[in-house]
Amino acid sequence: MPYPQKIDFIKLLLTLSKTLDLGTSGLTRHHQMVALASMKMASLLGLRRDEKEDLFCSAIIHDIGVSTSAEKARIMDIDYDAVNHAIVGWTRLKESPILFPYAETVKHHHDRWDGSNIGLKGEDIPLNSRIIHLVDRMTFIIKNDKPVIGQETEIIKQIERLSGKFFQPLLVKCIKELIMEESFLLDITSDFLPSLINNYAPSIIREVDLDGLMSIASIFAHVIDNKSTYTMRHSLNIANISVWLAKRIGFSEKELKMIEIAALLHDIGKLSVPDDILEKPGRLSPEEFNIMRGHTYFTYHILNSIDEFDTISEWAAFHHEKLNGSGYPFHLKEGQLSMGSRIMAVSDKFSALSEDRPYRKSLTNKEIIAELNVMVESGDIDGKIVKILKEEIEEIRGLINKEV
Ligand SMILES: [Fe+2]
Ligand SMILES: [Fe+2]
Ligand SMILES: [Fe+2]
């Protein structure tokens, strides 16, 4: 596929934002709820088209600064001063040539109207941040175990309690109007939400090149890696090693960028794995390992639903497949595993063995080679790639934890 190319930018953001809502209890659709409710507020307030675009794009990724399940749980308390993840989100977004326009809105999405936390105050807070703050807190007042119709009075009571403190009174007035329409609460909580989102989302087709996609991928790599202290740099490590091996094997410039993106996103499905499994200070039980084995399935389906990522999704998601067909989750065989997928599998093993894990320290080069040899002999991974790696092991080891 030639780059730069015109891509459906909203579809890309919507797909990636789903990963932010992956959790132990499945997909919570928090970002979609906030985005749809924000768009309804925007219509009521008569926002301009460009303001609506900024609002939608910011709302659909507003919690990009959250990685751990513990933090996800904390920010559900509406009185909690959740400003930290907003700053983290801003720090990540402002580095991307594609997503930086949304950094400011995300930075201020928990700033309180009365200035009682460290953010801005009153009308100095960007309007879109004020809208996201209000609808975001509102979504956490809704009780999932009760019919949503009938909760209006309680929701309004809670919001009014914070009017003039957290929220701008004018916006509170608007949202009260929306809440009194049954359809509003049903739209944001029912199974129609994903299709409604498509109706309300602005249409943005924009030109993006592989470097732009890479900047988005590296933001998500940080979200993934920050989920566990043991994987702090895993996605970056596997990216460095995959690119090194692919270069040696003769990949083109374009393919090198593609494999870097695939590596940065290879574990995106791990956002569905509970933190206590990722942080477990010992070997996983069979049941925990089963949960872990689901992660590449999620990686595949998330990335494969992005049109531009057809090859990237395979390179990323097949890193636990084995040439002898005994890998997971698709049990692919030698003929179905392309060079990109094979490089990813070898890089993943090498990075993992070079990094500390909860149940062991990083291995020495000699120990790593011994482990990789066993895997080649069992027909798990490609011996030709391992041969290149063994010849240059010192140099490749130097890529682990290297600042980029
Ligand atoms: Fe937030
Ligand atoms: Fe949120
Ligand atoms: Fe993995």
Side-chain angles (χ1 to χ4, degrees):
M1 210 173 302
Y3 280 94
Q5 62 169 302
K6 288 198 185 314
I7 67 163
D8 184 339
F9 183 61
I10 291 298
K11 192 174 168 209
L12 175 72
L13 282 191
L14 269 169
T15 307
L16 290 173
S17 93
K18 284 183 194 159
T19 63
L20 304 175
D21 289 330
L22 277 176
T24 349
S25 46
L27 211 51
T28 60
R29 294 185 181 152
H30 172 66
H31 284 82
Q32 293 190 17
M33 277 173 99
V34 172
L36 181 60
S38 297
M39 294 320 277
K40 290 186 178 244
M41 286 284 282
S43 302
L44 208 57
L45 291 161
L47 294 198
R48 293 191 314 263
R49 191 195 150 88
D50 59 319
E51 291 169 325
K52 280 188 179 175
E53 286 181 4
D54 172 87
L55 180 58
F56 186 88
C57 296
S58 307
I60 204 70
I61 52 171
H62 69 276
D63 281 337
I64 198 153
V66 177
S67 289
T68 65
S69 319
E71 204 170 5
K72 272 185 196 171
R74 256 198 314 275
I75 61 173
M76 286 164 82
D77 171 0
I78 63 161
D79 289 298
Y80 177 70
D81 188 8
V83 79
N84 186 44
H85 74 274
I87 307 283
V88 174
W90 165 72
T91 318
R92 289 177 185 158
L93 293 174
K94 71 185 173 62
E95 300 305 324
S96 161
I98 306 289
L99 298 181
F100 80 91
Y102 316 114
E104 279 300 308
T105 305
V106 167
K107 181 182 185 184
H108 298 291
H109 84 274
H110 283 280
D111 290 5
R112 293 177 176 168
W113 177 252
D114 66 0
S116 61
N117 63 358
I118 63 160
L120 299 173
K121 181 182 174 182
E123 293 199 354
D124 286 344
I125 306 167
L127 174 61
N128 283 345
S129 309
R130 283 178 254 154
I131 297 173
I132 294 173
H133 188 198
L134 173 59
V135 299
D136 172 81
R137 298 294 84 189
M138 181 213 51
T139 64
F140 291 123
I141 302 171
I142 300 171
K143 300 227 174 340
N144 298 326
D145 54 352
K146 285 188 189 164
V148 72
I149 304 297
Q151 296 190 43
E152 299 88 339
T153 318
E154 179 57 24
I155 297 169
I156 290 174
K157 197 175 114 196
Q158 293 280 342
I159 289 173
E160 281 190 326
R161 175 174 68 85
L162 299 168
S163 180
K165 294 179 185 149
F166 290 12
F167 313 130
Q168 181 179 9
L170 172 78
L171 297 184
V172 170
K173 205 166 148 259
C174 283
I175 207 164
K176 271 165 66 182
E177 228 177 277
L178 287 173
I179 292 169
M180 290 317 289
E181 292 168 16
E182 287 82 353
S183 65
F184 172 72
L185 289 179
L186 287 167
D187 281 350
I188 61 170
T189 55
S190 76
D191 286 344
F192 296 109
L193 175 60
S195 60
L196 285 167
I197 259 290
N198 288 326
N199 300 342
Y200 278 81
S203 157
I204 307 180
I205 305 294
R206 60 186 284 185
E207 221 162 70
V208 176
D209 59 13
L210 278 170
D211 292 319
L213 287 176
M214 196 155 355
S215 78
I216 299 176
S218 65
I219 291 177
F220 279 85
H222 280 105
V223 181
I224 304 159
D225 289 357
N226 282 302
K227 196 166 153 62
S228 164
T229 41
Y230 291 97
T231 57
M232 277 318 248
R233 295 192 53 90
H234 177 65
S235 303
L236 304 180
N237 286 340
I238 172 170
N240 285 343
I241 293 164
S242 305
V243 169
W244 191 98
L245 287 169
K247 209 181 266 177
R248 181 57 64 97
I249 286 164
F251 275 39
S252 68
E253 276 302 313
K254 181 186 149 197
E255 287 169 328
L256 290 175
K257 287 181 180 172
M258 285 166 65
I259 204 160
E260 189 164 354
I261 294 171
L264 289 168
L265 297 174
H266 79 291
D267 269 345
I268 201 163
K270 269 201 186 154
L271 294 170
S272 68
V273 179
D275 299 358
D276 50 351
I277 295 185
L278 296 174
E279 293 275 14
K280 189 177 175 189
R283 291 207 174 264
L284 299 182
S285 70
E287 199 181 313
E288 289 162 342
F289 189 62
N290 287 339
I291 296 172
M292 190 68 145
R293 281 201 299 186
H295 81 278
T296 42
Y297 176 85
F298 286 108
T299 296
Y300 180 74
H301 284 292
I302 289 161
L303 299 184
N304 201 43
S305 61
I306 300 171
D307 299 337
E308 296 74 25
F309 277 14
D310 46 358
T311 307
I312 290 175
S313 64
E314 296 189 358
W315 290 355
F318 297 164
H319 65 273
H320 291 294
E321 299 290 343
K322 294 176 179 174
L323 298 174
N324 59 20
S326 70
Y328 64 85
F330 300 113
H331 290 255
L332 300 175
K333 295 209 174 63
E334 207 169 339
Q336 298 162 294
L337 293 167
S338 66
M339 185 51 79
S341 306
R342 293 173 190 218
I343 291 174
M344 199 67 64
V346 172
S347 309
D348 185 53
K349 304 285 171 298
F350 183 82
S351 325
L353 295 168
S354 308
E355 295 159 4
D356 290 338
R357 283 292 178 266
Y359 48 90
R360 60 144 175 84
K361 284 267 160 218
S362 64
L363 305 191
T364 63
N365 287 349
K366 215 172 137 201
E367 288 165 334
I368 294 175
I369 289 175
E371 292 263 354
L372 292 176
N373 283 343
V374 172
M375 293 181 214
V376 172
E377 275 156 34
S378 336
D380 295 350
I381 52 177
D382 192 319
K384 291 188 289 302
I385 303 171
V386 173
K387 187 168 175 285
I388 299 172
L389 194 149
K390 284 196 289 197
E391 284 164 7
E392 310 272 359
I393 192 150
E394 288 297 335
E395 188 179 340
I396 299 175
R397 187 71 189 245
L399 299 172
I400 295 285
N401 299 338
K402 190 176 163 219
E403 291 302 326
V404 274

